Amino acid sequence: MEIKPLGSVPSRRGPAESFTGTVWQEPIIEAPAPARIRGAFVRFEPKARTAWHTHPLGQTLIVTSGVGRAQHWGGPVEEIRPGDVVWFPPGEKHWHGASPTTAMAHIAVQEALDGKVVDWMEHVSDAQYRG
């Protein structure tokens, strides 16, 4: 058993290559092999969002506060709120982030495949973000 006390893992700012706007990530699950699960608490300031990306084994988001947006490639921009659980199937191109006026936080859970949990792609344009 391992217990990580609150504050023992520092927050890190999401890199500009993968995010638009200010995003903070706090790793909460980084289980050692042979486990594959990874998880983070992610906070988005208003208008902040991920770039388009995919996950080799899919991703689950659990919205914990605020108002956000999510979209899969070819689909509409959808609003997400606290208590919503969002599932992106393996390989589905998508993005997620805060609404234009309200911050949003979620827990993101995904599994690694051969050590990889995400494939980052191009940034979401302002027009795509507006829907």
Side-chain angles (χ1 to χ4, degrees):
M1 180 169 83
E2 179 183 0
I3 298 173
K4 291 185 179 179
L6 179 64
S8 66
V9 179
S11 299
R12 59 185 180 221
R13 187 165 179 171
E17 300 81 38
S18 305
F19 298 93
T20 297
T22 302
V23 178
W24 291 96
Q25 301 171 307
E26 297 169 24
I28 54 174
I29 306 168
E30 292 186 358
R36 302 188 300 188
I37 192 157
R38 305 288 185 269
F41 183 68
V42 187
R43 295 175 287 133
F44 296 82
E45 291 187 1
K47 297 182 186 173
R49 56 199 181 261
T50 68
W52 287 102
H53 62 287
T54 63
H55 298 275
L57 296 174
Q59 182 183 49
T60 299
L61 304 179
I62 304 152
V63 182
T64 58
S65 67
V67 179
R69 292 180 169 191
Q71 181 183 28
H72 66 92
W73 190 256
V77 174
E78 298 192 49
E79 186 173 273
I80 55 177
R81 294 183 167 272
D84 289 351
V85 177
V86 183
W87 164 246
F88 297 105
E92 183 172 69
K93 185 174 179 178
H94 68 279
W95 66 268
H96 37 94
S99 76
T101 58
T102 305
M104 187 270 293
H106 64 54
I107 296 170
V109 181
Q110 54 275 326
E111 290 182 282
L113 180 62
D114 298 324
K116 191 172 199 175
V117 296
V118 63
D119 287 303
W120 291 106
M121 300 171 184
E122 71 275 12
H123 281 274
V124 174
S125 69
D126 289 342
Q128 289 170 323
Y129 175 75
R130 287 190 300 269

